[in-house]
Amino acid sequence: MAADASFRFRILARDGGARRGEILTPRGTIRTPAFMPVGTAGTVKAMYAHEVAALGADILLGNAYHLMLNPGAERIARLGGLHAFMQWDRPILTDSGGFQVMSLSKLRKLSERGVVFQSHIDGSSHELTPERAMEVQALLGSDIQMQFDECVRLPSSREDVERAMRLSLRWAERSRRAFAGGPGQAAFGIVQGGAERDLRIESAKALADMDFHGLAIGGLAVGEPQAVMLDMIETVEPHLPADKPRYLMGVGTPDDLLACLRRGVDMFDCVMPTRAGRHGLAYTRYGRMNLRNSRFAEDPRPIDATSLAYAGRHFSRSYLRHLIKAGEILGMMALTAINIAYYEVLMAGARDAIERGMLDDYIAETRAGWERGESAGAQE
Amino acid sequence: MAADASFRFRILARDGGARRGEILTPRGTIRTPAFMPVGTAGTVKAMYAHEVAALGADILLGNAYHLMLNPGAERIARLGGLHAFMQWDRPILTDSGGFQVMSLSKLRKLSERGVVFQSHIDGSSHELTPERAMEVQALLGSDIQMQFDECVRLPSSREDVERAMRLSLRWAERSRRAFAGGPGQAAFGIVQGGAERDLRIESAKALADMDFHGLAIGGLAVGEPQAVMLDMIETVEPHLPADKPRYLMGVGTPDDLLACLRRGVDMFDCVMPTRAGRHGLAYTRYGRMNLRNSRFAEDPRPIDATSLAYAGRHFSRSYLRHLIKAGEILGMMALTAINIAYYEVLMAGARDAIERGMLDDYIAETRAGWERGESAGAQE
């Protein structure tokens, strides 16, 4: 890996606050704004990785927390790293485990050093520190490695938010130092500060000075209204280095993605398209469809004849409803693929619109399609 | 549909008692001996139908019992039939519901007329008679429709077996009369009689006189040893019309298939490859592998580099073990495909061996591969 072994970000076009860019890595180019499907435990649930690639995803997210517990980061390293393990050769971003250790694990004990916790699976005891979180991600062979942070739920007291933000800054420094940095690998810091504008700004400024390859905005979409989330993004955005990618963690609905990329966010991840798909919800250009609804019982039409997903074009809504109602795995497979395809095509449309300087029109047209929506879809 | 709109069976080669044939239908040719993957409720669980076709299956099995309850046979008919519903354009054989109504439903009441039963899903009341069973299968658009029968578990008293066999014969006559018979569609009778040789022979002879397009052997693989099953096949076989296909219902392991096709069986179905796959078992040319076994934890090799299934060639045993242990849907998808691929390649090998007059060698070599098996596979 010579000339192309570096991690680079370049902006190709702007439209208002939105950026059309690309992240160049030795494993491939990530077109931004990008949506990253979530492959929690070494698999995007209910899909083959090569199918996810075929639907347009340039990068997946993996979770250090899940993978360190099962099958273990050292084991994955011995097997050649996460890319080989899960048969995905494009870039992977890994979460550091900070979020999951707070939301999933039992009996955690937080200290300046890190977090000691019990596995949510078997109760075994583990420790995550900034140093160990970066080591785990290096063992996985992650292309974009996230700092270890503490993420609080909203609403939380200002005191809690401030304490967690400052701890996360100290952990950011330790994470950055611990980052091993293989060829073309990157480390991202995470802006915290809850819904407190001054704390968010302080966090962003401090991180901007730390030589990360990109910055994330964490601790949003954890229970607050969309307006609060957008306010925080607008607050933070001017303090993020303009020449580095910005990643909004764990967001969100299709509408969230459009609202946030319009405000300068370059990368997203969310379990919504996969999790909702497994529960019978389809995200489409006609809006969200709940396939459990009886009005689909004899609807012979496909979800969307233009879908990149085979099931989106070929399966009738009645068949999908039957599969979901019967608890059939194929229903989960089909709706997961349909939703990933829609999220990816939504982002492709946004990238194209930014290049043409037509983003606001694109967003308005897309939202109008959702508004005409399901009912128009069912009657046409 | 003119010249090719008929249902025909022709034998291309024989080797001992084994037959290499083909069933010609308007929807395509079924190469025999054939293994039919089971698509109980309108889906081969955890696979797209087009993937099943790509692995070599010429025909699927559907279950009238499941489909009449959900989403309903009339509904499927209004939606264009089962082929369109599940996006499978090759032949489909449907079970009549006789077996499932006995094994799954609650509070069933059997009479000469038929069976009144409560759905295992919602407790709703339904009736299946020979006439309704054939109507349901006609509504589904099934290419091969099975008579309605009563299947008893083994061991059962001779009295129970005899009563059920005679009732099934009367139901066979009613089923044959009720068979609607669209172009190229076929009706099969089902030999019953438990483990009683004379009853089996009586059943076979009576059915042979009834103008069915093929005959099945039912009521085996319901708890008896393999030797009893083989004895019953050898007992029945001389009394089955030589020029019609013979279908052994619900059988079996790879070894069962070889033992039975050697005795003149042309068609098989079984949930084993799909159900076992969902539970972490792989059927391979090295024998059966339990992917939960810890010896696969760091085994980087694929299940079988020659597998027709993508996952069989590309996923390491360690990855499959991780997926199964983590309860990931992808693990079920992968092992289902691996097993269907193996069952189909096993049958393709048998067909080829019969053509070459080398079936006994093929069976011996195949069994030797299973014997060398997993341990050799893990050590090589």
Side-chain angles (χ1 to χ4, degrees):
Chain A
M1 300 188 217
D4 65 347
S6 65
F7 180 94
R8 283 173 294 151
F9 176 62
R10 61 183 185 205
I11 294 172
L12 306 174
R14 293 174 191 269
D15 184 1
R19 302 127 60 93
R20 161 74 175 105
E22 52 187 26
I23 299 170
L24 300 126
T25 85
R27 291 195 190 269
T29 296
I30 304 156
R31 297 162 292 176
T32 65
F35 177 76
M36 304 184 280
V38 176
T40 308
T43 160
V44 174
K45 290 182 192 299
M47 290 191 74
Y48 288 96
H50 67 78
E51 295 175 323
V52 180
L55 297 181
D58 293 335
I59 176 171
L60 290 188
L61 181 141
N63 283 117
Y65 171 86
H66 290 276
L67 293 166
M68 71 179 276
L69 296 181
N70 260 317
E74 278 75 8
R75 172 164 289 168
I76 290 179
R78 285 193 295 272
L79 289 161
L82 183 57
H83 296 82
F85 189 61
M86 66 183 293
Q87 292 287 295
W88 168 267
D89 61 7
R90 299 183 181 190
I92 292 174
L93 178 148
T94 42
D95 193 358
S96 66
F99 182 78
Q100 278 79 25
V101 83
M102 298 303 163
S103 57
L104 290 179
S105 71
K106 295 179 282 192
L107 288 177
R108 52 191 172 274
K109 192 174 166 213
L110 185 80
S111 70
E112 183 67 28
R113 174 179 160 85
V115 186
V116 175
F117 63 94
Q118 289 191 347
S119 160
H120 70 290
I121 300 167
D122 61 7
S124 59
S125 187
H126 299 265
E127 184 177 35
L128 267 179
T129 62
E131 292 75 19
R132 175 60 180 162
M134 301 312 284
E135 182 184 38
V136 164
Q137 295 177 83
L139 286 164
L140 297 176
S142 168
D143 302 283
I144 302 180
Q145 304 175 19
M146 301 304 298
Q147 76 151 94
F148 191 59
D149 64 338
E150 185 194 354
C151 174
V152 296
R153 292 199 173 277
L154 294 183
S156 287
S157 71
R158 180 177 168 91
E159 289 65 35
D160 279 352
V161 169
E162 182 165 6
R163 184 199 51 71
M165 182 276 282
R166 292 196 199 286
L167 178 63
S168 294
L169 283 182
R170 294 191 296 278
W171 285 358
E173 289 183 340
R174 286 168 55 191
S175 297
R176 183 66 187 86
R177 276 199 302 274
F179 169 64
Q185 292 182 342
F188 279 28
I190 304 177
V191 175
Q192 292 289 358
E196 310 287 336
R197 289 182 186 153
D198 60 324
L199 298 182
R200 284 278 176 187
I201 291 171
E202 180 184 336
S203 175
K205 285 183 168 176
L207 289 164
D209 289 338
M210 278 188 213
D211 190 32
F212 282 106
H213 302 85
L215 291 183
I217 304 174
L220 292 177
V222 288
E224 79 289 357
Q226 189 196 49
V228 172
M229 177 177 73
L230 297 180
D231 180 29
M232 287 304 110
I233 292 167
E234 289 172 5
T235 300
V236 165
E237 191 274 337
H239 305 284
L240 300 176
D243 60 346
K244 291 180 181 174
R246 296 130 172 209
Y247 160 33
L248 180 59
M249 304 182 79
V251 175
T253 66
D255 190 67
D256 287 338
L257 300 194
L258 295 182
C260 295
L261 69 85
R262 189 170 169 280
R263 288 164 172 82
V265 173
D266 304 303
M267 304 165 70
F268 302 88
D269 80 285
C270 193
V271 294
M272 195 166 283
T274 43
R275 181 176 292 167
R278 294 198 304 282
H279 289 88
L281 296 173
Y283 288 96
T284 80
R285 59 196 175 103
Y286 306 117
R288 204 178 74 162
M289 296 184 196
N290 184 345
L291 271 302
R292 292 183 180 274
N293 194 304
S294 61
R295 69 194 170 85
F296 296 121
E298 297 202 5
D299 190 335
R301 291 169 304 158
I303 290 284
D304 179 348
T306 69
S307 174
L308 270 183
Y310 170 88
R313 297 190 305 278
H314 292 282
F315 286 179
S316 66
R317 297 173 191 188
S318 58
Y319 184 52
L320 287 167
R321 179 172 184 271
H322 164 68
L323 294 174
I324 288 293
K325 280 193 68 193
E328 287 289 349
I329 290 172
L330 181 58
M332 304 188 203
M333 293 160 59
L335 286 170
T336 298
I338 287 167
N339 289 347
I340 292 291
Y342 184 66
Y343 267 64
E344 293 298 343
V345 83
L346 182 74
M347 301 305 273
R351 290 192 295 265
D352 178 62
I354 296 168
E355 287 178 8
R356 293 183 293 112
M358 305 283 282
L359 181 62
D360 283 345
D361 288 348
Y362 174 72
I363 292 175
E365 285 159 19
T366 300
R367 286 178 174 156
W370 298 335
E371 290 291 325
R372 281 193 304 274
E374 282 193 87
S375 53
Q379 287 158 8
E380 77 192 2
Chain B
M1 300 187 215
D4 64 347
S6 64
F7 179 94
R8 283 174 294 153
F9 176 60
R10 60 182 185 206
I11 295 172
L12 306 175
R14 293 174 191 269
D15 185 1
R19 301 126 61 93
R20 161 74 176 104
E22 52 187 26
I23 299 170
L24 300 125
T25 85
R27 291 193 189 273
T29 296
I30 304 155
R31 297 163 292 176
T32 66
F35 178 76
M36 305 184 280
V38 176
T40 308
T43 159
V44 175
K45 292 184 190 298
M47 288 190 75
Y48 288 96
H50 67 78
E51 293 175 324
V52 180
L55 297 181
D58 293 335
I59 176 170
L60 291 187
L61 181 141
N63 284 115
Y65 172 86
H66 290 276
L67 292 166
M68 71 180 275
L69 296 180
N70 261 317
E74 279 74 8
R75 173 165 288 166
I76 289 178
R78 285 193 295 273
L79 290 161
L82 183 57
H83 295 82
F85 189 61
M86 67 183 292
Q87 292 287 293
W88 168 267
D89 61 7
R90 300 184 181 189
I92 293 175
L93 178 148
T94 43
D95 192 358
S96 65
F99 181 77
Q100 277 79 28
V101 83
M102 299 302 163
S103 57
L104 290 179
S105 71
K106 294 180 282 190
L107 289 178
R108 53 193 172 272
K109 192 173 165 211
L110 185 79
S111 70
E112 184 66 28
R113 174 180 160 84
V115 187
V116 176
F117 63 94
Q118 288 191 349
S119 160
H120 71 288
I121 300 166
D122 61 8
S124 58
S125 186
H126 299 266
E127 183 178 35
L128 266 180
T129 61
E131 292 74 21
R132 176 59 179 161
M134 300 313 285
E135 182 184 39
V136 164
Q137 295 178 82
L139 287 164
L140 297 175
S142 168
D143 302 284
I144 302 180
Q145 304 175 19
M146 303 303 298
Q147 77 152 93
F148 191 58
D149 64 338
E150 185 194 354
C151 174
V152 296
R153 292 199 172 278
L154 294 183
S156 288
S157 72
R158 180 177 167 93
E159 289 65 35
D160 280 353
V161 169
E162 183 165 7
R163 183 200 51 72
M165 183 275 282
R166 294 197 197 286
L167 178 63
S168 294
L169 283 182
R170 295 192 296 278
W171 285 0
E173 289 182 339
R174 286 166 57 189
S175 296
R176 183 65 187 85
R177 277 199 302 275
F179 170 63
Q185 292 181 342
F188 279 28
I190 304 177
V191 176
Q192 291 289 359
E196 311 288 336
R197 289 184 186 151
D198 59 326
L199 299 182
R200 285 277 175 189
I201 291 171
E202 179 184 335
S203 176
K205 285 182 168 176
L207 289 164
D209 289 337
M210 278 189 214
D211 189 34
F212 281 106
H213 302 85
L215 291 183
I217 304 174
L220 292 177
V222 289
E224 80 288 356
Q226 190 197 50
V228 173
M229 176 176 75
L230 297 181
D231 181 29
M232 289 302 110
I233 293 167
E234 290 173 3
T235 300
V236 165
E237 191 273 336
H239 305 284
L240 300 176
D243 60 345
K244 292 179 180 176
R246 297 128 173 213
Y247 159 34
L248 180 60
M249 305 183 78
V251 175
T253 64
D255 189 66
D256 288 337
L257 299 194
L258 295 182
C260 295
L261 69 85
R262 189 169 169 281
R263 289 164 172 80
V265 173
D266 305 304
M267 302 165 71
F268 301 89
D269 81 283
C270 193
V271 295
M272 196 166 282
T274 43
R275 182 175 291 167
R278 296 198 302 283
H279 288 89
L281 296 173
Y283 288 97
T284 80
R285 60 196 174 104
Y286 306 118
R288 204 177 76 162
M289 296 185 195
N290 184 344
L291 271 303
R292 292 183 180 275
N293 194 305
S294 62
R295 69 194 168 87
F296 297 121
E298 296 201 4
D299 190 335
R301 291 169 303 158
I303 290 284
D304 179 349
T306 70
S307 174
L308 271 182
Y310 171 88
R313 297 189 306 278
H314 292 283
F315 287 179
S316 66
R317 299 173 190 188
S318 58
Y319 184 51
L320 287 166
R321 177 172 186 271
H322 164 67
L323 293 174
I324 289 293
K325 280 193 68 190
E328 287 289 349
I329 289 172
L330 181 59
M332 305 187 203
M333 294 161 58
L335 285 170
T336 299
I338 287 167
N339 289 347
I340 292 291
Y342 184 66
Y343 267 63
E344 294 298 342
V345 84
L346 182 73
M347 301 305 274
R351 291 191 297 265
D352 178 61
I354 296 168
E355 287 178 8
R356 292 184 292 111
M358 305 282 281
L359 181 62
D360 283 344
D361 288 349
Y362 174 72
I363 292 175
E365 284 161 19
T366 301
R367 285 179 174 156
W370 298 336
E371 290 293 324
R372 281 192 304 274
E374 282 193 87
S375 53
Q379 286 159 9
E380 75 193 1

